[in-house]
Structures are given as structure tokens and as C-alpha cells.
Amino acid sequence: MRAAKRGLITAAVTVVCAVTVLAAPGTAFASPTPTPTATPGPKASPTPPPSKDLEAVREKLDKLYHDAAVATDAYNAAEEKAQQQSAEIVELAKKIVQGQQKLDRLKDRAGAAARAQYRMGGLPPQAQLMLSDDPGQFLDGAGRLLQGERATKGLIGEMTRTQEDLKQYAQDASAQWEKLEAGRKAKAAAKKKIKQQITEAEKLENRLEKKEKERLAKLEREAAAKAQTAWLDTGILKEINSKASKQGKKAVEFATAQIGKPYEWGAEGPKTFDCSGLTSQAWANAGHPIPRTSQEQWKQLKHVDIKDMRPGDLIIYFDDASHVAMYVGDGAIIHAPRPGRTVTLAGAGEMPILAVVRPDA
């Protein structure tokens, strides 16, 4: 019995310790270091590629970083689930230990009752009662016998329920462990995908000459400005005139204070952020926690019409809800764009809008 108890408690403690290993967030990878090249000798300046070729490069980069954002959302979702499952396993482990201790106490009580019966000659209480010649003693004993039988049944029932609870706790812990392991694999796969997409994008950018990079940056600005202008030309700002809520102001203040900090996938601050890490931390700072990922923010938060949005609301972008930004008023957003960029102020219409959600609806 004692060996079984020690084994169960040891297993519970092992679960708690092992959870820390399985649930530990992946370490962000370092940007690959460009391979050193020999110092080139004098040569003629290369002919800049046609604008249509750079436009193709821009579109390719947009796709690579978009795919990286999708993978980042998957990574963040797996990380959030791992934290929840880890906490549940820890609680189950505590219940197993507490349940085993309770069962031991119940068994001690049952043992004490058995020893008391042994001291009375081994006869069951019913037999001893029948041998009594004193009517008063008989009636008194009958009452005690009834109480004793009820107590015994209650003790047996409580022991049975405790054993069943322990069995259920063990099954639940096993199920959560399997989910945690599956989440670990999903997180690892997402991390690999992020690394592949960002590495390919960086290689593509590193192949460009300085002038080409400057022209590419100009193309990106022009594309963003064109999209923002088209959005503003709809007259939407004339319809948007809602004021921020008290919590919304706090969220905007937090987001504004992060401008200039680098983007890093999977990051929630304080030095670096990804897109949903910025928005979730801004609203947590405002005293209203929201889901960690852009997709869950889109699914779980209340949707509002674009014309009704107010500063502090979140704008979800792209059909797959892979990007999120905070609306700050006057047609502008604050967001963490992508690797290689910093938290910045931008136009709300620079990307295709999927929905607007309100954390403090």
C-alpha cells in the first residue's frame, strides 16, 4: 500500500516537472548571417532590373511574409494551448496527491474500526447485542449499532468515491498529456515553417543591389499609399466619428509607446512584438485581457461595422485573419508589420480588411 502511494505521488510530481519541459516556448531563431564574399574589384554598375521584375519580387516577399505570419499565428495558438494544458496537468497532479492522502486517512479509519472489533473478541456488533440480557443495554446498543452501520457504509462509500476520483484524475492527466505532446509537435512544425519562410525572404532581399532595395522600398510605399488612398476615397472617414472608450484610450497609449520596437515572431514584449502580441498586450495593459492570436481575436471578440469603429478597436486583415492592428483614429493604425520592420504608424486601408473587432464591447 505504502509503495503504491509513493509511486503515485512520485508520478504526480514527475508530471509537474515534465510539464515545464514540454510547455517551454521555443527559442526564437537568429537571423541567418550572410555568407562573406570576396571584395569585388572595380566593375561597371549593374543594369537595374525592370520595374515589373521588382514588382514580382515585392509580391513574392509579401507572400513569404504572409505565410510566415500564418505560421506565427499557429505557433502562438499552440503555445497558448500548451500553457493552458500545463496548468490543467499541474492541477490534476495536485488532486492526485490530495486524493491519495485522503484515501490513506480513510483506510486508517477503517483499520481502527477493525482493530476495535478485534479487541471485542472478534464478534460482530450484532452478535454481541443478541447476547445482552439487559433490556436497557440492548436498546442503547441497538442505537449505537445503527449509527455504526451508517458510519461504516459512509466510510466505505467515501473510500469508493475517492478511489474513483483518483482513477478519473489519472485518466484526465493522461489525456491532457497527449494533447500537450500533440501541441508540442504542432508548435515545432509551425516554428520550422516560420524559419523557412523568413529565411527565403531574407535570401531574396539579400540578392538585391542597394539601388534595387531602394526601388523595392519605394514600390512598397507606393503600393501601401495606393491602397490607403483607395480606402479613404470611399469616404469612410466621414462616417467614422466614434470616440475611444476609457480602456480603449489606455490600449492606444500602450501601443503608441511601443512604436519603433522591432518585430519578432512569437514575441509579446517588452522589447519586441509580433502583430497579435502587440494588440493582446495593449489590451491586457488596459485591464481587459483578450485572446493571444489574431485568428482567435477575430473569432472571439465582438464584430463591429467599419463605420462604427473607434480608437482601440482591432482591425483584422486578410481572408485568413493572419494579421491584426490597432485603430488609433483618423484612418491610421499602429501595428507590428513583419520581420525586419518595427512597430509603426500606418494607414488602416493599406491591407485588405477582413473585420473590425471590439475588445471592450
Side-chain angles (χ1 to χ4, degrees):
M1 181 189 301
R2 296 296 177 185
K5 171 189 174 184
R6 288 195 299 271
L8 192 54
I9 293 177
T10 300
V13 174
T14 302
V15 166
V16 176
C17 296
V19 164
T20 305
V21 177
L22 276 180
T27 304
F29 61 88
S31 299
T33 303
T35 304
T37 56
T39 304
K43 63 178 182 179
S45 300
T47 302
S51 295
K52 64 178 182 179
D53 291 343
L54 271 181
E55 178 61 24
V57 170
R58 186 188 69 80
E59 292 176 357
K60 176 66 174 177
L61 286 172
D62 282 349
K63 183 179 186 308
L64 288 170
Y65 283 123
H66 172 268
D67 291 347
V70 173
T72 297
D73 225 36
Y75 177 91
N76 291 335
E79 173 65 14
E80 188 173 36
K81 287 181 180 178
Q83 292 175 356
Q84 295 171 351
Q85 290 159 357
S86 298
E88 289 175 6
I89 291 175
V90 169
E91 288 303 312
L92 286 168
K94 291 178 181 178
K95 288 181 179 180
I96 288 174
V97 173
Q98 293 169 354
Q100 184 61 57
Q101 292 172 343
K102 179 181 179 181
L103 185 60
D104 289 342
R105 290 193 298 269
L106 293 172
K107 288 180 178 179
D108 287 342
R109 286 171 55 190
R115 290 191 296 272
Q117 182 176 326
Y118 176 78
R119 287 195 298 270
M120 296 168 64
L123 290 174
Q126 296 91 334
Q128 293 182 22
L129 186 60
M130 293 299 294
L131 293 175
S132 174
D133 293 329
D134 186 340
Q137 182 182 357
F138 181 87
L139 292 174
D140 187 46
R144 290 198 303 271
L145 176 60
L146 183 59
Q147 292 177 353
E149 287 179 343
R150 289 175 178 171
T152 301
K153 288 181 180 178
L155 178 60
I156 294 173
E158 193 170 2
M159 288 176 64
T160 301
R161 288 191 297 273
T162 301
Q163 289 173 327
E164 290 174 349
D165 287 344
L166 281 171
K167 182 179 179 181
Q168 187 61 52
Y169 294 153
Q171 291 175 347
D172 291 346
S174 177
Q176 290 298 332
W177 185 271
E178 290 178 0
K179 290 180 181 179
L180 186 63
E181 176 63 15
R184 183 191 66 79
K185 293 179 180 178
K187 191 168 67 171
K191 179 178 179 179
K192 182 179 180 180
K193 179 71 177 292
I194 295 167
K195 184 175 181 179
Q196 289 174 339
Q197 299 301 315
I198 294 178
T199 298
E200 186 175 347
E202 289 176 341
K203 286 181 178 179
L204 182 57
E205 289 181 298
N206 288 337
R207 287 200 294 266
L208 299 176
E209 299 289 340
K210 181 180 179 180
K211 289 184 178 180
E212 293 172 338
K213 290 180 180 180
E214 291 173 351
R215 289 177 59 203
L216 178 62
K218 183 179 179 181
L219 285 176
E220 290 175 347
R221 291 192 298 271
E222 289 174 349
K226 182 179 180 181
Q228 175 72 353
T229 299
W231 185 68
L232 293 176
D233 285 346
T234 63
I236 189 65
L237 282 190
K238 295 178 181 179
E239 299 182 50
I240 301 174
N241 53 20
S242 299
K243 294 182 178 180
S245 65
K246 184 176 181 180
Q247 286 183 312
K249 288 180 180 178
K250 289 183 179 180
V252 170
E253 288 172 0
F254 179 91
T256 303
Q258 313 314 312
I259 289 177
K261 293 184 178 180
Y263 176 102
E264 181 183 2
W265 64 268
E268 301 176 79
K271 296 182 178 180
T272 58
F273 294 90
D274 64 17
C275 68
S276 57
L278 176 64
T279 54
S280 61
Q281 286 302 303
W283 273 99
N285 184 74
H288 192 91
I290 62 174
R292 168 65 176 87
T293 68
S294 59
Q295 291 181 351
E296 289 304 310
Q297 289 170 5
W298 171 62
K299 291 177 183 177
Q300 296 185 35
L301 301 181
K302 182 180 179 179
H303 289 219
V304 298
D305 196 283
I306 291 179
K307 65 181 178 60
D308 297 323
M309 71 179 175
R310 64 192 187 194
D313 286 347
L314 306 182
I315 303 181
I316 310 296
Y317 291 98
F318 304 109
D319 290 342
D320 51 10
S322 58
H323 190 70
V324 61
M326 178 174 292
Y327 183 66
V328 294
D330 296 327
I333 56 170
I334 290 176
H335 70 144
R338 65 169 175 83
R341 300 287 189 265
T342 61
V343 176
T344 189
L345 189 70
E350 291 184 5
M351 297 167 284
I353 296 175
L354 174 64
V356 177
V357 297
R358 179 164 296 163
D360 60 339

